Amino acid sequence: MAEGSRDQGGVVGTTDPEEDSPNMIVYRKIEDIVTRIQDEKAGGVAIRTVKSFLSKIPSVVSGADIVQWLMKNLSIEDPAEAIHLGSLVAAHGYIFPISDHVLTLKDDGTLYRFQSPYFWPSNCWEPENTDYAIYLCKRTMQNKARLELADYEAENLARLQRAFARKWEFIFMQAEAQVKIDRKKDKAERKILDSQERAFWDVHRPVPGCVNTTEMDIRKCRRERNPHRVKKSVYGVPDDGQSQPSPIHISSQPTRKPTKEDVQKEITFLNIQLDRHCMKVSKVADSLMTYTEQFMEYDPFVSATEPSNPWISDDSTFWDLEASREPSQQRVKKWGFSLEEALKDPAGRDQFLKFLESEFSSENLRFWLAVQDLKRRPLQEVASRAQEIWQEFLAEGAPSSINLDSHSYERTSQNLKDPGRYSYEDAQEHIFKLMKSDSYARFLRSNIYQDLLLARKKQPADTEQGRRTSLEKFTRSVGKSLTGKRLTGLMQSS
Amino acid sequence: MCDQTFVAATFGPCESCGNASPLMNIYIKTDPINYCSFCVEMMACEGLQRGETLATLKTESQSLKKRLDEERNKLNDVELHQVAEKVEVLGALSIKTKRVLKGHGNKVLCMDWCKDKRRLVSSSQDGKVIVWDAFTLNKEHGVTLPCTWVMACAYAPSGCAVACGGLDNKCSVFPLSLDKNENLSAKKKSVAMHTNYLSGCTFTNSDMQILTSSGDGTCALWDVESGQLLQSFHGHTADVLSLDLAPSETGNTFVSGGCDKKANVWDMRSGQNIQSFENHESDINCVKYYPSGDAFASASDDATCRFYDLRADREVAVYQKDSVIFGASSVDFSMSGRLLFAGYNDYTINVWDVLKGSRVSILYGHENRISRVRVSPDGTALCSASWDNTLRIWA
């Protein structure tokens, strides 16, 4: 847990119910890390005083040491990863370079110091501009080279002087008071505190161009410990009432205790879950592995794409081929994995339809497609479309009569009394199973499919298929015009 | 019978019937109950009949949960990564940034690919929604919404419209015009209305329906043309942050994840919650189906991503590392489901081997949090959106 003084400004203790807010979770993890790094007895880094020219630099550690520690204690193999993590720890204000405003970690002799727990982000600081003005003002009062303002700080100070013109006297007084207090402190202690204070402001008023790590995801704001970010001053300056709370998102649903109904619903749900038949992990694991292995050759991140990945080669041939009328063998092979895969691909759908038409048994697929289309219609059109489907496929003497078992037929005609998007769910499922077990298997054995799969050229003079050929030509031309229409629908011309 | 006069300590809505009236403050076992006198009588009678009170129901619920855990654990005969030991190790991946899309003036919060595999739509904190041809880096359309924090955007399957929303609590649909000079805002159509921010939206398999998730704790299915609510989904006890439709052609289910740390699977037809998973230790920021539809993954603020199988009804893998301490904001699978791309608040994308559970790569490049990662429809590229105001295409 966090150690160190936390008494200034009235910080709440550690048994806080808001501990699980997302930012807090990260802060606690980082705090655990920096606490461990500083614990020399438990394998931490050596924090030393370094001699430099005429002075001593107290309480520092080298960047390289921090990187080494991170790699060893967090099982990191690549130093780049340790540097990246260390830089984030710095960016959030937990460690800082003693001679730079930019908070990153370097894997070399650059010297770093640890931030005082008083200034830790987990205290939910949102310091006001008055505090910042006091700070910058204070810096100008002290004649130390190391406290000279950087360019962006000088600009900020000028802007604040204009904004706070009327209360500048007050700010000046506060700055003077701070300087007086600081002078009483021990020299080494002052060096450390000054640097920590500067690092604090580097987090809350970052160098232009640097990430402001105090920015929040607005969706998570309202659960922060201090949602209205009541402005407690870093320097103990009383709030003059002019500050505005930061914008947060108020919950519209007050949390309520679970009622009897809620628990009853839960019980019903749990009973349903208990009745559910589930599979063993070994079985599902095999199924997941089989699926993944089957599709790995189609996964551009894992297998090379033919001809080439357009994003890598800047050549869009791959996409042009996909859109063309001649599906590749690899693509055709996918249709053989399952009926689902075949229907997912518009070209697969067309070929399957073509095959069924050649057998004069296309009504099942056309019914399935019509029900899919029904589900995609705007609400207004659903009822009439549902009726049309009934007339076409299921009514007495329907032109494309499909074969439904009596149970599904009854259910469906009941549903049609109040026609909706899901009126044909039962029937569609039944027909799908029928196609899967019957015509799909025949499709995969058919010449239409095999020709594409093996990239065979058609033999129109083949007498064995004489009669089928002219019908094939007819259905092919119908198929082509359908395919053409569907493809242009998909492609957005730019 | 019961005397109607009693000393009422409080006045307010009865916890049973909701009517405002003098309340009796009584205790059942140790549970405080504030009912109006009528409901107290009713409860007493019902209690005598069925012996059910809130306390006994809670006990029943707890024992059922325990039984369910025991039953499910019986099926946990092996770990996924153990079975996957026989799968060949992946070769080293060489994924690099291929495009950087610059143009947003503020954090990019969301993006979605077009079915044509090269266009995408993105939305940002400053209210701007941009449609890009990512291949040429061309900006093709731009809309400015009157609200800030546009947290959700989606491309219509036809490629002819986009949907977006955020702090305005709405989801609006904009038809994309081929005329560059036409003001897209003019044709805007408000479809969804929630009582809190819109966190996610997606078209179902057509341009005609939209599924939304919201900070008000619900998901909803809407008819685009009429704006009518077709189905609402209640069950989450806190903000819903993400949703994903099952990839099946005939599927009617979707999964959602939220701040109550739960991932719920829903039946779109009935509005029922079919399955529920509570394994994460913090908010679930993103949920995404595995390509076969039999499983899904989640990303959470607890710095882990998890993998759940629907047939086994349990979590089957956790993707985590000691060095990964920042929350995961977004996940997506590669086409075969072998790789899981996860974007984090530490500005990186970790690539996980789904079956073996190990991390195979880290993608550096963004300079602030990743808000969204999405694999393109044909799997040839990954797009990441970030708080550094840019989007990157990786391949």
Side-chain angles (χ1 to χ4, degrees):
Chain A
M1 256 330 349
E3 290 157 30
S5 59
R6 279 162 152 262
D7 50 0
Q8 295 188 52
V11 178
V12 182
T14 51
T15 52
D16 201 289
E18 298 295 337
E19 275 299 306
D20 64 346
S21 85
N23 278 8
M24 277 304 158
I25 297 177
V26 181
Y27 291 149
R28 294 302 176 221
K29 286 184 194 166
I30 299 180
E31 283 161 18
D32 177 65
I33 290 175
V34 296
T35 309
R36 280 161 59 198
I37 299 187
Q38 291 176 80
D39 190 350
E40 276 193 62
K41 291 187 209 117
V45 294
I47 304 176
R48 299 268 178 269
T49 299
V50 169
K51 289 209 181 101
S52 120
F53 288 138
L54 307 163
S55 63
K56 292 190 209 156
I57 308 175
S59 188
V60 286
V61 76
S62 76
D65 283 346
I66 297 179
V67 173
Q68 279 305 309
W69 188 95
L70 288 172
M71 286 179 68
K72 185 165 161 218
N73 291 274
L74 294 179
S75 324
I76 297 177
E77 284 158 10
D78 181 9
E81 198 186 336
I83 294 170
H84 185 85
L85 177 61
S87 294
L88 278 163
V89 171
H92 282 271
Y94 285 90
I95 59 177
F96 57 92
I98 58 167
S99 26
D100 199 345
H101 284 286
V102 177
L103 300 168
T104 55
L105 181 68
K106 295 204 185 107
D107 186 13
D108 56 19
T110 313
L111 297 175
Y112 291 83
R113 198 168 277 147
F114 290 92
Q115 181 58 282
S116 153
Y118 174 67
F119 284 127
W120 279 356
S122 47
N123 296 338
C124 296
W125 293 109
E126 195 169 317
E128 274 288 277
N129 277 330
T130 36
D131 277 353
Y132 190 42
I134 293 171
Y135 167 69
L136 290 175
C137 204
K138 182 165 81 152
R139 288 258 300 271
T140 60
M141 289 174 180
Q142 296 158 302
N143 256 335
K144 290 189 172 65
R146 65 179 162 87
L147 295 175
E148 236 170 57
L149 292 183
D151 287 342
Y152 78 95
E153 288 178 308
E155 277 174 40
N156 287 345
L157 181 58
R159 229 180 323 116
L160 288 167
Q161 274 173 327
R162 286 195 297 274
F164 289 130
R166 267 187 274 149
K167 52 190 229 178
W168 198 255
E169 205 181 311
F170 171 75
I171 290 176
F172 195 83
M173 269 170 41
Q174 292 293 323
E176 274 186 329
Q178 289 288 317
V179 171
K180 255 201 206 142
I181 298 172
D182 288 348
R183 272 207 199 106
K184 293 190 186 140
K185 294 192 183 125
D186 162 69
K187 206 168 147 194
E189 201 191 330
R190 239 195 308 162
K191 269 189 192 170
I192 297 173
L193 287 173
D194 282 348
S195 67
Q196 288 173 333
E197 195 186 11
R198 187 188 74 182
F200 172 80
W201 288 109
D202 287 340
V203 170
H204 292 274
R205 298 288 186 276
V207 178
C210 285
V211 173
N212 183 343
T213 56
T214 62
E215 277 184 320
M216 297 260 300
D217 185 338
I218 204 166
R219 302 173 302 178
K220 322 256 176 166
C221 277
R222 70 177 107 135
R223 284 144 55 223
E224 283 292 299
R225 183 202 296 179
N226 199 2
H228 287 282
R229 296 290 185 104
V230 172
K231 314 286 184 174
K232 45 188 198 293
S233 163
V234 188
Y235 303 113
V237 175
D239 180 18
D240 61 359
Q242 281 184 359
S243 55
Q244 286 171 351
S246 19
I248 57 159
H249 218 73
I250 315 285
S251 173
S252 65
Q253 55 169 20
T255 44
R256 53 184 229 295
K257 291 191 308 190
T259 64
K260 256 175 72 176
E261 282 74 35
D262 289 337
V263 186
Q264 266 163 348
K265 270 193 207 154
E266 208 178 58
I267 290 174
T268 315
F269 178 80
L270 288 167
N271 277 317
I272 295 175
Q273 297 306 311
L274 276 164
D275 281 339
R276 173 195 298 276
H277 170 69
C278 291
M279 289 169 61
K280 285 198 192 147
V281 175
S282 51
K283 221 171 158 211
V284 304
D286 278 335
S287 158
L288 293 167
M289 275 167 46
T290 311
Y291 181 92
T292 293
E293 279 187 275
Q294 196 177 45
F295 283 89
M296 287 220 348
E297 69 174 279
Y298 298 91
D299 186 343
F301 277 106
V302 178
S303 319
T305 38
E306 297 293 326
S308 68
N309 186 328
W311 299 100
I312 300 179
S313 63
D314 282 335
D315 173 5
S316 61
T317 313
F318 179 72
W319 289 328
D320 300 332
L321 285 178
E322 285 264 313
S324 76
R325 275 125 199 246
E326 299 296 321
S328 68
Q329 281 177 281
Q330 202 192 29
R331 189 170 155 194
V332 173
K333 187 169 125 186
K334 229 202 253 189
W335 306 344
F337 291 168
S338 68
L339 177 54
E340 271 255 2
E341 282 298 322
L343 293 177
K344 224 189 251 184
D345 186 343
R349 235 183 287 152
D350 288 344
Q351 292 298 324
F352 189 32
L353 188 65
K354 200 167 100 170
F355 164 72
L356 291 172
E357 277 165 1
S358 74
E359 290 199 328
F360 302 100
S361 63
S362 64
E363 63 280 352
N364 282 343
L365 182 57
R366 283 189 290 115
F367 170 72
W368 189 88
L369 291 170
V371 175
Q372 287 295 91
D373 174 69
L374 172 69
K375 289 193 271 194
R376 294 164 192 181
R377 290 291 172 119
L379 192 56
Q380 269 185 347
E381 299 175 19
V382 166
S384 58
R385 190 77 193 100
Q387 290 297 347
E388 281 170 26
I389 292 178
W390 179 266
Q391 291 305 318
E392 174 75 17
F393 297 98
L394 287 160
E396 288 268 329
S400 314
S401 170
I402 58 169
N403 239 338
L404 270 191
D405 64 294
S406 55
H407 184 70
S408 302
Y409 193 87
E410 271 310 305
R411 283 273 287 272
T412 309
S413 70
Q414 279 296 331
N415 288 345
L416 276 220
K417 297 203 172 129
D418 182 16
R421 193 171 294 105
Y422 300 114
S423 295
Y424 290 102
E425 281 306 279
D426 265 353
Q428 194 190 29
E429 216 180 293
H430 180 88
I431 293 294
F432 186 85
K433 285 195 187 129
L434 207 62
M435 286 194 294
K436 191 164 146 179
S437 60
D438 185 32
S439 34
Y440 175 63
R442 285 204 311 280
F443 168 61
L444 294 181
R445 292 194 298 267
S446 73
N447 283 331
I448 291 180
Y449 180 73
Q450 289 293 326
D451 284 350
L452 286 172
L453 183 65
L454 303 171
R456 281 199 293 241
K457 290 268 163 58
K458 301 260 188 310
Q459 314 285 344
D462 198 329
T463 46
E464 276 183 334
Q465 305 169 37
R467 244 186 314 148
R468 284 271 295 279
T469 310
S470 56
L471 181 63
E472 254 189 86
K473 279 191 187 149
F474 169 75
T475 52
R476 213 182 309 149
S477 68
V478 169
K480 267 193 184 154
S481 66
L482 277 176
T483 313
K485 284 205 187 85
R486 278 184 207 132
L487 280 176
T488 49
L490 268 180
M491 298 295 286
Q492 169 92 316
S493 53
S494 56
Chain B
M1 254 260 61
C2 197
D3 189 0
Q4 289 296 321
T5 14
F6 58 93
V7 177
T10 58
F11 185 96
C14 164
E15 279 173 16
S16 177
C17 66
N19 298 324
S21 59
L23 298 179
M24 300 180 83
N25 317 114
I26 55 179
Y27 283 83
I28 304 289
K29 298 230 173 104
T30 50
D31 280 339
I33 296 194
N34 304 307
Y35 283 3
C36 66
S37 61
F38 181 71
C39 289
V40 170
E41 259 196 69
M42 289 294 294
M43 182 186 68
C45 297
E46 286 170 24
L48 287 171
Q49 285 166 20
R50 287 174 301 179
E52 270 173 14
T53 61
L54 190 61
T56 59
L57 285 176
K58 276 188 183 167
T59 323
E60 193 184 337
S61 166
Q62 297 291 29
S63 80
L64 279 174
K65 273 190 199 146
K66 209 168 147 235
R67 251 183 73 199
L68 187 61
D69 273 340
E70 282 165 10
E71 285 299 308
R72 292 289 183 262
N73 279 333
K74 285 185 197 159
L75 299 170
N76 193 22
D77 52 348
V78 75
E79 297 282 319
L80 173 62
H81 65 85
Q82 287 171 310
V83 177
E85 268 162 27
K86 52 184 170 192
V87 176
E88 235 182 84
V89 174
L90 284 170
L93 298 176
S94 165
I95 303 174
K96 299 192 180 64
T97 301
K98 293 298 172 191
R99 302 280 192 282
V100 181
L101 300 164
K102 295 188 188 168
H104 277 292
N106 212 315
K107 307 180 181 63
V108 188
L109 304 174
C110 188
M111 59 75 47
D112 190 26
W113 286 95
C114 174
K115 282 222 160 82
D116 75 356
K117 311 148 197 168
R118 51 190 285 172
R119 281 177 179 73
L120 54 91
V121 61
S122 61
S123 64
S124 87
Q125 188 195 338
D126 62 1
K128 289 221 165 45
V129 175
I130 302 179
V131 175
W132 317 69
D133 176 346
F135 194 62
T136 59
L137 295 182
N138 208 13
K139 294 187 200 47
E140 300 195 333
H141 299 94
V143 192
T144 306
L145 271 86
C147 75
T148 57
W149 288 87
V150 187
M151 305 171 209
C153 62
Y155 223 119
S158 67
C160 300
V162 292
C164 51
L167 282 189
D168 56 355
N169 300 358
K170 295 193 277 200
C171 185
S172 310
V173 176
F174 294 84
L176 295 175
S177 163
L178 290 174
D179 176 2
K180 296 289 170 73
N181 293 321
E182 192 174 347
N183 181 10
L184 289 185
S185 301
K187 293 244 177 89
K188 166 173 133 173
K189 192 191 187 93
S190 269
V191 173
M193 286 288 301
H194 279 280
T195 54
N196 212 316
Y197 63 85
L198 188 83
S199 56
C201 66
T202 178
F203 286 87
T204 61
N205 292 322
S206 84
D207 285 17
M208 293 299 142
Q209 287 109 40
I210 290 190
L211 194 58
T212 58
S213 62
S214 166
D216 65 13
T218 69
C219 299
L221 181 67
W222 310 83
D223 179 66
V224 173
E225 211 177 53
S226 61
Q228 197 171 320
L229 172 68
L230 298 171
Q231 184 66 253
S232 65
F233 305 88
H234 297 262
H236 280 288
T237 52
D239 307 19
V240 185
L241 296 179
S242 172
L243 56 77
D244 188 38
L245 264 176
S248 160
E249 288 291 294
T250 49
N252 297 305
T253 59
F254 71 94
V255 62
S256 66
C259 295
D260 57 358
K261 311 175 197 174
K262 288 206 192 123
N264 290 336
V265 181
W266 307 86
D267 181 336
M268 266 171 27
R269 298 168 290 183
S270 60
Q272 291 299 327
N273 177 4
I274 316 174
Q275 283 174 274
S276 186
F277 303 86
E278 194 171 355
N279 298 82
H280 276 294
E281 294 164 17
S282 184
D283 300 2
I284 296 181
N285 294 313
C286 184
V287 287
K288 197 73 178 55
Y289 270 96
Y290 176 79
S292 74
D294 295 318
F296 71 94
S298 60
S300 164
D301 277 334
D302 65 7
T304 69
C305 295
R306 290 169 199 250
F307 190 43
Y308 313 79
D309 188 289
L310 296 170
R311 299 160 295 186
D313 194 32
R314 64 182 297 122
E315 168 196 286
V316 292
V318 183
Y319 307 106
Q320 63 186 344
K321 260 184 163 288
D322 284 343
S323 52
V324 178
I325 60 174
F326 285 81
S329 58
S330 183
V331 278
D332 200 0
F333 288 95
S334 68
M335 272 225 94
S336 63
R338 183 65 193 269
L339 300 174
L340 183 71
F341 297 99
Y344 290 77
N345 291 341
D346 66 2
Y347 321 171
T348 68
I349 299 169
N350 286 320
V351 187
W352 300 90
D353 181 326
V354 172
L355 300 174
K356 292 184 183 280
S358 54
R359 182 180 61 189
V360 292
S361 193
I362 315 178
L363 306 180
Y364 296 101
H366 277 296
E367 294 167 7
N368 206 328
R369 295 192 196 189
I370 313 284
S371 50
R372 179 98 153 168
V373 294
R374 275 291 174 270
V375 173
S376 68
D378 62 356
T380 49
L382 173 77
C383 179
S384 56
S386 165
W387 280 22
D388 67 5
N389 304 2
T390 70
L391 297 111
R392 279 181 183 239
I393 309 285
W394 310 78

